[in-house]
Coordinates of all heavy atoms in Angstrom, one line a residue:
K1 N 33.8 22.6 -44.4 CA 35.2 22.2 -44.5 C 35.8 22.0 -43.1 O 36.6 21.1 -42.9 CB 36.0 23.3 -45.3 CG 37.4 22.9 -45.6 CD 38.1 24.0 -46.4 CE 39.6 23.5 -46.7 NZ 40.3 24.6 -47.5
D2 N 35.5 22.9 -42.2 CA 36.1 22.8 -40.9 C 35.7 21.5 -40.1 O 36.5 21.0 -39.3 CB 35.8 24.0 -40.0 CG 34.3 24.1 -39.7 OD1 33.5 23.8 -40.6 OD2 34.0 24.6 -38.6
I3 N 34.6 21.0 -40.5 CA 34.2 19.7 -39.9 C 34.8 18.5 -40.7 O 35.2 17.5 -40.1 CB 32.6 19.6 -39.8 CG1 32.1 20.6 -38.8 CG2 32.2 18.2 -39.5 CD1 30.6 20.6 -38.7
K4 N 34.7 18.6 -42.0 CA 35.2 17.5 -42.9 C 36.7 17.2 -42.5 O 37.0 16.0 -42.5 CB 35.1 18.0 -44.3 CG 35.5 16.9 -45.3 CD 35.5 17.5 -46.7 CE 34.1 17.9 -47.2 NZ 34.1 18.3 -48.6
N5 N 37.5 18.1 -42.2 CA 38.9 17.9 -41.9 C 39.1 17.3 -40.6 O 40.2 16.9 -40.3 CB 39.7 19.2 -42.0 CG 39.7 19.7 -43.4 OD1 39.5 19.0 -44.4 ND2 39.9 21.0 -43.5
K6 N 38.1 17.2 -39.7 CA 38.2 16.7 -38.4 C 37.7 15.3 -38.2 O 37.7 14.7 -37.1 CB 37.6 17.6 -37.4 CG 38.2 19.0 -37.3 CD 37.4 19.9 -36.4 CE 38.0 21.3 -36.4 NZ 37.1 22.3 -35.6
V7 N 37.0 14.7 -39.2 CA 36.4 13.4 -39.1 C 37.1 12.4 -40.1 O 37.0 12.7 -41.3 CB 34.9 13.5 -39.4 CG1 34.2 12.1 -39.2 CG2 34.2 14.5 -38.5
I8 N 37.7 11.4 -39.6 CA 38.4 10.4 -40.4 C 38.1 9.0 -40.0 O 37.6 8.8 -38.9 CB 39.9 10.7 -40.4 CG1 40.5 10.6 -39.0 CG2 40.2 12.1 -41.0 CD1 41.9 10.7 -38.9
R9 N 38.5 8.1 -40.8 CA 38.5 6.7 -40.4 C 39.8 6.3 -39.8 O 40.8 6.9 -40.0 CB 38.2 5.8 -41.6 CG 36.8 5.9 -42.1 CD 36.3 4.7 -42.9 NE 37.4 3.9 -43.6 CZ 37.2 2.9 -44.3 NH1 35.9 2.5 -44.5 NH2 38.1 2.2 -44.9
A10 N 39.8 5.2 -39.0 CA 41.0 4.8 -38.3 C 42.2 4.5 -39.2 O 43.3 4.8 -38.9 CB 40.7 3.6 -37.4
D11 N 41.8 3.9 -40.3 CA 42.9 3.6 -41.3 C 43.5 4.8 -42.0 O 44.5 4.6 -42.7 CB 42.4 2.6 -42.3 CG 41.1 3.0 -43.0 OD1 40.7 4.2 -42.8 OD2 40.6 2.2 -43.8
N12 N 43.0 5.9 -41.7 CA 43.6 7.2 -42.3 C 44.2 8.1 -41.2 O 44.6 9.2 -41.5 CB 42.5 7.9 -43.1 CG 43.1 9.0 -44.0 OD1 44.2 8.8 -44.6 ND2 42.5 10.1 -44.1
L13 N 44.2 7.6 -39.9 CA 44.6 8.4 -38.8 C 46.1 8.8 -38.9 O 46.4 10.0 -38.8 CB 44.4 7.6 -37.5 CG 44.9 8.2 -36.2 CD1 44.3 9.6 -36.0 CD2 44.7 7.3 -35.0
V14 N 47.0 7.8 -39.1 CA 48.4 8.1 -39.2 C 48.7 9.1 -40.3 O 49.5 10.1 -40.1 CB 49.2 6.8 -39.3 CG1 50.7 7.2 -39.5 CG2 49.1 6.0 -38.0
A15 N 48.2 8.9 -41.5 CA 48.4 9.7 -42.6 C 48.0 11.2 -42.3 O 48.6 12.2 -42.7 CB 47.7 9.2 -43.9
T16 N 46.8 11.3 -41.6 CA 46.3 12.6 -41.3 C 47.2 13.3 -40.3 O 47.5 14.5 -40.4 CB 44.9 12.5 -40.7 OG1 44.0 11.9 -41.6 CG2 44.3 13.8 -40.3
I17 N 47.6 12.6 -39.3 CA 48.5 13.2 -38.2 C 49.8 13.7 -38.9 O 50.3 14.8 -38.7 CB 48.8 12.2 -37.1 CG1 47.6 12.0 -36.2 CG2 50.0 12.6 -36.3 CD1 47.8 10.9 -35.2
K18 N 50.4 12.8 -39.8 CA 51.7 13.2 -40.4 C 51.4 14.4 -41.4 O 52.3 15.3 -41.4 CB 52.2 12.0 -41.2 CG 52.8 11.0 -40.4 CD 53.4 9.8 -41.2 CE 54.1 8.8 -40.3 NZ 54.7 7.7 -41.1
K19 N 50.3 14.5 -42.0 CA 50.0 15.6 -43.0 C 49.9 16.9 -42.2 O 50.5 17.9 -42.6 CB 48.8 15.3 -43.7 CG 48.4 16.4 -44.7 CD 47.1 15.9 -45.5 CE 46.8 17.0 -46.6 NZ 46.2 18.2 -46.0
M20 N 49.1 16.8 -41.1 CA 48.9 18.0 -40.3 C 50.2 18.5 -39.6 O 50.5 19.7 -39.5 CB 47.9 17.8 -39.2 CG 46.5 17.5 -39.7 SD 45.2 17.1 -38.5 CE 45.1 18.7 -37.6
C21 N 51.1 17.6 -39.2 CA 52.4 18.0 -38.6 C 53.3 18.6 -39.7 O 54.0 19.6 -39.4 CB 53.0 16.8 -38.0 SG 52.3 16.2 -36.4
T22 N 53.3 18.0 -40.9 CA 54.1 18.6 -42.0 C 53.7 20.0 -42.3 O 54.5 20.8 -42.6 CB 54.0 17.6 -43.2 OG1 54.5 16.3 -42.9 CG2 54.8 18.2 -44.4
E23 N 52.4 20.2 -42.4 CA 51.8 21.5 -42.7 C 52.0 22.5 -41.6 O 51.9 23.8 -41.9 CB 50.4 21.4 -43.1 CG 50.1 20.6 -44.4 CD 48.7 20.3 -44.7 OE1 47.8 20.6 -43.8 OE2 48.4 19.9 -45.8
S24 N 52.2 22.1 -40.4 CA 52.3 23.0 -39.3 C 53.6 23.8 -39.3 O 54.7 23.2 -39.7 CB 52.2 22.3 -37.9 OG 52.5 23.1 -36.8
K25 N 53.6 25.1 -39.0 CA 54.8 25.9 -39.0 C 55.4 26.0 -37.6 O 56.4 26.7 -37.4 CB 54.4 27.3 -39.5 CG 54.0 27.3 -41.0 CD 53.6 28.7 -41.4 CE 53.2 28.7 -42.9 NZ 52.8 30.1 -43.4
L26 N 54.9 25.3 -36.7 CA 55.4 25.3 -35.3 C 56.8 24.6 -35.3 O 57.1 23.7 -36.1 CB 54.5 24.6 -34.4 CG 53.1 25.2 -34.1 CD1 52.3 24.3 -33.2 CD2 53.3 26.6 -33.5
T27 N 57.6 25.0 -34.4 CA 58.9 24.4 -34.2 C 58.8 23.0 -33.5 O 58.0 22.8 -32.6 CB 59.9 25.2 -33.3 OG1 59.9 26.5 -33.9 CG2 61.2 24.6 -33.2
E28 N 59.6 22.0 -34.0 CA 59.5 20.7 -33.4 C 60.1 20.7 -31.9 O 61.1 21.3 -31.7 CB 60.3 19.7 -34.2 CG 59.6 19.3 -35.5 CD 60.2 18.0 -36.1 OE1 61.1 17.5 -35.5 OE2 59.8 17.6 -37.2
N29 N 59.4 20.0 -31.1 CA 59.9 19.8 -29.7 C 60.8 18.6 -29.6 O 60.6 17.6 -30.4 CB 58.8 19.6 -28.7 CG 58.0 20.9 -28.5 OD1 58.6 22.0 -28.4 ND2 56.7 20.8 -28.4
S30 N 61.8 18.6 -28.8 CA 62.6 17.4 -28.5 C 61.8 16.4 -27.8 O 60.7 16.7 -27.2 CB 63.8 17.8 -27.7 OG 63.4 18.1 -26.4
R31 N 62.2 15.2 -27.8 CA 61.5 14.1 -27.1 C 61.5 14.3 -25.6 O 60.5 14.0 -24.9 CB 62.2 12.7 -27.4 CG 61.4 11.6 -26.9 CD 62.0 10.2 -27.4 NE 61.3 9.2 -26.7 CZ 60.1 8.7 -27.1 NH1 59.5 9.2 -28.2 NH2 59.5 7.7 -26.5
K32 N 62.5 15.0 -25.1 CA 62.5 15.3 -23.7 C 61.4 16.3 -23.3 O 60.7 16.2 -22.3 CB 63.9 15.9 -23.3 CG 64.0 16.3 -21.8 CD 65.4 16.9 -21.5 CE 65.5 17.3 -20.0 NZ 66.9 17.8 -19.7
V33 N 61.3 17.4 -24.1 CA 60.2 18.3 -23.9 C 58.8 17.7 -24.1 O 57.9 18.0 -23.3 CB 60.4 19.5 -24.9 CG1 59.2 20.5 -24.8 CG2 61.6 20.3 -24.6
M34 N 58.7 16.8 -25.1 CA 57.4 16.1 -25.3 C 57.0 15.3 -24.0 O 55.9 15.3 -23.6 CB 57.5 15.2 -26.5 CG 57.6 15.9 -27.8 SD 58.0 14.7 -29.1 CE 56.7 13.5 -29.1
L35 N 58.0 14.6 -23.5 CA 57.8 13.8 -22.3 C 57.3 14.6 -21.1 O 56.4 14.3 -20.4 CB 59.0 13.0 -21.9 CG 59.0 12.2 -20.6 CD1 57.8 11.1 -20.7 CD2 60.3 11.4 -20.4
Q36 N 58.0 15.8 -20.9 CA 57.7 16.6 -19.8 C 56.2 17.1 -19.9 O 55.5 17.2 -18.9 CB 58.6 17.9 -19.8 CG 60.0 17.5 -19.4 CD 61.0 18.7 -19.5 OE1 60.7 19.7 -20.2 NE2 62.1 18.6 -18.8
D37 N 55.8 17.5 -21.1 CA 54.4 18.0 -21.3 C 53.4 16.8 -21.2 O 52.4 17.0 -20.6 CB 54.3 18.7 -22.7 CG 53.0 19.5 -22.8 OD1 52.7 20.2 -21.8 OD2 52.3 19.3 -23.8
A38 N 53.8 15.7 -21.7 CA 52.9 14.5 -21.6 C 52.7 14.2 -20.1 O 51.5 13.9 -19.7 CB 53.5 13.3 -22.3

């Protein structure tokens, strides 16, 4: 399972990112904080 969830096709990339972000309990960062870390 831990491998299955990490391997996807490109056409499922965005849906996977959104799903993982939705399920995450972390607090959202502002765009300013995101830019600083980037």
Side-chain angles (χ1 to χ4, degrees):
K1 186 177 180 181
D2 63 326
I3 290 181
K4 183 184 298 188
N5 295 336
K6 297 175 182 175
V7 183
I8 58 175
R9 288 199 337 179
D11 52 6
N12 196 36
L13 174 59
V14 171
T16 299
I17 287 177
K18 287 185 175 181
K19 181 175 183 292
M20 293 176 70
C21 287
T22 299
E23 293 175 349
S24 172
K25 296 180 181 180
L26 295 175
T27 303
E28 285 194 4
N29 288 318
S30 68
R31 188 169 175 84
K32 181 180 179 180
V33 171
M34 290 169 60
L35 174 59
Q36 289 174 343
D37 194 48

